[in-house]
Amino acid sequence: MNEKDLKRIKEEIADSDDLIARYRLRESIDEQRAWEMFQKKFQSHGKRHSYHLHAAFRRIAVIVAVLITGGLFWFHHDYTRVTPPVINEDVRLAMQQSKESGHHAADVVSVNANHSELITQQERELYHVDDDFVKQLTEAKRITTYKDKEFWVTLEDGTLVHLNNNSKLIFPEKFGDRRDVILDGEAYFMVAKDKSRQFVVHTPQGDVKVYGTEFFINTGTDEKGIDRRPVAGEMDREADSYSAQDLHTTVILVNGSVGFTSSDGKEVVMTPRQQLTAGKGSVSVNVVDTAPYVAWNTGLFVFKGSPLEYLMDVLSQWYGIHHVEYASDSLRTIRFTGNLKRYGNIDRILEAIMLACDLNIQLSDDVITIQD
């Protein structure tokens, strides 16, 4: 009995209404032959089932491998991805107005492997830089601004630095496995995000370490974080000058997170709206209003209760005024609060100060005269 005959008998049994006939048909089946056929079919089906099962496992393994590979690729891509800072319209306008007003200028020195004078041994010690960083400075730039100038520079990774007057920035033309710069003076940093490489600003008092954030640094302040250089900001100056030993580094964090590591190796982690002041072996942190520093970055002079003498010092340097004469010493201590456009006309600025302080201010031959 072959498989065809067995199939026919099964169909006849299923179709027959006569129970005796059904029984006789069943008796006609060769049970041994049927069992052998069943085993053959089962084994064949089992092999097919095993094949399909192995094929399914292979497909699953491929999918898992793809997911793992994709995940690792995504993780690596995300980890090494560099995201430039978002430059809003206020900052773009400030950059444009700075250039149009003639204030955007600096002394830019480029060096290569054949020139080793970009950083001296004394500077290496002052800014605590190591040999690996020095190697990156074989192709680098030193940007220096003077009393009435500022400079905007975009670094190789997309980081934007707003360098104020009387300031210096040293940085490699191309970053390697680290992103280090040197700052002496005052600057606003908008750092590109890069999880795989820290961004480090070396100052005389220590290092500011970040991954991607926005902050302000001044390396010429006193122990209270008050600016002792003739620059713009929400600062009240009580003394005319400070020696280099008296100067501190002040960091104001606008957003993100930074760590300040002093020369003794201790790190202080900052959070937004904090001001850190470091110098003479001490570090202090307090909460501040960051709005004036953001405003400065977008082209404003910001003063809060500042003496008129300090305000005039700032304006004189920025606009190239040679001298300021006061009818009486009491006029020097008048307090001024307000925002003034950095790129505005000097005559309009003086007019605004006259109205706010009820004074008579005249400008003639680069000399400002102030009377009651």
Side-chain angles (χ1 to χ4, degrees), residues 82-88 92 154 157-161 189-193 213-214:
V82 179
T83 306
V86 177
I87 311 301
N88 62 38
R92 294 184 187 278
T154 301
D157 66 337
T159 293
L160 181 64
V161 183
F189 287 82
M190 301 178 71
V191 180
K193 294 182 179 180
T213 188
E214 192 169 331

Side-chain angles (χ1 to χ4, degrees), residues 108-276:
V108 181
V109 177
S110 298
V111 298
N112 54 41
N114 298 323
H115 191 290
S116 60
E117 298 300 322
L118 181 69
I119 181 170
T120 65
Q121 182 61 36
Q122 183 179 3
E123 287 177 322
R124 289 183 60 172
E125 296 174 358
L126 177 64
Y127 299 112
H128 316 289
V129 298
D130 56 27
D131 292 337
D132 289 338
F133 179 35
V134 173
K135 290 178 181 177
Q136 292 193 34
L137 295 178
T138 54
E139 293 186 0
K141 285 185 179 179
R142 177 198 293 259
I143 297 178
T144 305
T145 58
Y146 299 103
K147 66 177 184 178
D148 60 343
K149 305 297 180 183
E150 64 181 352
F151 199 79
W152 302 79
V153 58
T154 301
L155 307 185
E156 179 262 337
D157 66 337
T159 293
L160 181 64
V161 183
H162 181 185
L163 198 63
N164 202 7
N165 60 334
N166 297 332
S167 300
K168 175 178 63 181
L169 184 71
I170 300 175
F171 59 94
E173 291 275 18
K174 184 175 179 59
F175 293 122
D177 57 358
R178 54 192 288 181
R179 300 182 293 165
D180 293 58
V181 302
I182 293 173
L183 173 69
D184 181 12
E186 189 174 41
Y188 193 100
F189 287 82
M190 301 178 71
V191 180
K193 294 182 179 180
D194 185 345
K195 295 179 181 179
S196 65
R197 298 180 299 174
Q198 279 188 324
F199 189 97
V200 181
V201 182
H202 297 272
T203 77
Q205 283 73 35
D207 298 337
V208 180
K209 299 181 179 181
V210 304
Y211 283 104
T213 188
E214 192 169 331
F215 58 94
F216 173 94
I217 300 180
N218 188 335
T219 66
T221 63
D222 65 10
E223 67 278 0
K224 296 179 181 179
I226 297 175
D227 183 32
R228 295 302 171 183
R229 304 179 322 109
V231 295
E234 184 191 358
M235 322 280 187
D236 295 339
R237 189 167 56 177
E238 300 171 355
D240 292 332
S241 63
Y242 267 60
S243 66
Q245 291 77 14
D246 294 323
L247 295 179
H248 292 58
T249 288
T250 295
V251 182
I252 293 90
L253 180 58
V254 177
N255 60 56
S257 177
V258 307
F260 181 86
T261 303
S262 55
S263 55
D264 60 7
K266 295 180 180 178
E267 183 178 27
V268 177
V269 178
M270 299 176 61
T271 56
R273 300 179 62 82
Q274 284 188 337
Q275 171 182 294
L276 178 145

Side-chain angles (χ1 to χ4, degrees), residues 351-364:
E351 183 178 351
I353 297 172
M354 281 195 295
L355 294 174
C357 299
D358 192 21
L359 297 171
N360 182 14
I361 303 177
Q362 301 294 327
L363 172 62
S364 177

